[in-house]
Amino acid sequence: MYLKAAEYIKSRLPAGRIPKICLILGSGLGVLANNIEEAVQIEYSDIPNFPQTTVEGHAGRLVYGNLKEKPVIAMQGRFHYYEGKKLEEVVFPVRVMKAIGVEILIITNAAGGINMQFKPGDIMLITDHINFSGVNPLRGNNLDELGPRFPDMTYAYDPELMDKAMQAAEKLEISLKRGVYAMMQGPSFETPAEIRMLRIIGADAVGMSTVPEVITAVHAKIRVLGISCITNMAAGILKQPLTHQEVMDTANQARGKFIRLLEAVIAAL
Ligand code: HPA
């Protein structure tokens, strides 16, 4: 299934310029793909077996090209479990990327801040995660050609890539927080009680994505760098209701800083 998709994508890329870096762009960050030079756009609907975006107005395309003189491939539009997609579909693109030859996955998202030191607009390096979604993309027959039945998750977030991100942030004088990302299934936001629980078990931020793709990437020996935009304080902290609008507004405000950081990291890879 994923091999056929990969073959098609490879046939659309310039020979000898296989991207080693894949970017999955979260809410409000899709515009980073506009900075990609000599872009080749590949609509999801043209790729055999590729899942389709269900949310109207959301882009659904791969953008290949150069970012900081490095060949990259970005997913503009990602899939969420809460959309009703099978987890297999949510992580399908990661397997396609592996088959293309991608070695590094840079994955971004919008997340609610649980750590009281954070504030909306902060950027957080994901140092580890808690899979609180109740599901795992590796359930079922193991794809032995990709990785082992019981993959180690000790270094899910690549220490060397984390160092590079910290160094890039320091150079740019961007304050880069660090923390543990917890995934909830959504689509309802969490209750204040759930946020207190997540804080007790060691989460610094919460969101509804990323963890399935990271597990799939680690299984297939793709190195992962995860970065969250803290778009809001999680439920119950500021005593005000959460809205998707707030999430999008903060992501839009923070995105200049976010993009500068990502570009600096890519330049350093
Ligand atoms: N909870 C879950 N997902 C989110 C949040 C949140 O507070 N903010 C952005 N994505």
Side-chain angles (χ1 to χ4, degrees):
M1 284 278 278
Y2 64 91
L3 290 176
K4 202 166 162 208
E7 278 316 309
Y8 173 78
I9 295 164
K10 275 200 270 186
S11 77
R12 302 257 326 249
L13 303 183
R17 293 281 289 167
I18 294 298
K20 296 249 185 298
I21 303 166
C22 170
L23 295 155
I24 299 183
L25 303 170
S27 304
L29 292 166
V31 288
L32 171 62
N34 300 342
N35 295 11
I36 294 177
E37 290 165 354
E38 293 171 61
V40 177
Q41 301 205 346
I42 306 174
E43 300 297 325
Y44 293 168
S45 55
D46 289 337
I47 308 171
N49 304 328
F50 214 81
Q52 302 303 312
T53 37
T54 49
V55 191
E56 229 174 288
H58 269 223
R61 67 174 75 90
L62 299 177
V63 184
Y64 165 85
N66 292 328
L67 204 54
K68 297 284 153 188
E69 271 125 61
K70 300 241 160 65
V72 302
I73 188 159
M75 280 183 72
Q76 215 176 15
R78 59 132 60 104
F79 306 107
H80 298 92
Y81 192 55
Y82 64 70
E83 292 172 62
K85 288 261 181 289
K86 292 201 188 95
L87 211 46
E88 233 171 271
E89 297 176 275
V90 173
V91 302
F92 183 86
V94 177
R95 293 181 166 148
V96 173
M97 293 300 160
K98 177 68 185 181
I100 290 172
V102 161
E103 294 172 3
I104 293 176
L105 174 66
I106 302 180
I107 188 161
T108 69
N109 59 47
I114 295 176
N115 185 321
M116 297 295 216
Q117 313 287 325
F118 294 176
K119 54 184 189 315
D122 277 348
I123 301 181
M124 183 189 91
L125 181 66
I126 305 176
T127 58
D128 203 350
H129 74 222
I130 296 172
N131 182 7
F132 221 91
S133 69
V135 289
N136 191 300
L138 304 181
R139 180 170 184 267
N141 286 337
N142 184 49
L143 299 174
D144 293 327
E145 74 275 20
L146 286 175
R149 169 79 292 186
F150 302 109
D152 176 47
M153 297 293 292
T154 309
Y155 299 106
Y157 298 85
D158 189 272
E160 200 184 315
L161 296 179
M162 285 198 270
D163 282 348
K164 289 203 162 139
M166 294 303 292
Q167 284 159 17
E170 199 172 331
K171 256 197 206 155
L172 293 171
E173 296 182 14
I174 290 173
S175 148
L176 183 59
K177 310 285 194 254
R178 300 166 61 91
V180 172
Y181 175 92
M183 180 192 173
M184 299 292 265
Q185 251 191 51
S188 51
F189 285 117
E190 301 69 35
T191 62
E194 285 165 348
I195 294 303
R196 290 193 297 273
M197 169 195 72
L198 289 172
R199 183 178 298 119
I200 289 166
I201 65 173
D204 297 289
V206 59
M208 306 174 193
S209 67
T210 303
V211 166
E213 294 99 315
V214 170
I215 292 172
T216 305
V218 170
H219 176 247
K221 294 250 175 323
I222 297 174
R223 298 163 68 201
V224 175
L225 177 68
I227 306 181
S228 293
C229 178
I230 305 298
T231 52
N232 57 282
M233 290 316 284
I237 297 179
L238 297 180
K239 314 293 171 215
Q240 70 190 29
L242 305 187
T243 65
H244 182 58
Q245 193 57 46
E246 178 189 3
V247 169
M248 295 309 290
D249 289 348
T250 313
N252 286 334
Q253 278 161 26
R255 97 186 159 197
K257 172 166 80 161
F258 209 112
I259 289 173
R260 277 192 292 132
L261 176 64
L262 285 181
E263 289 191 337
V265 173
I266 290 166
L269 290 178

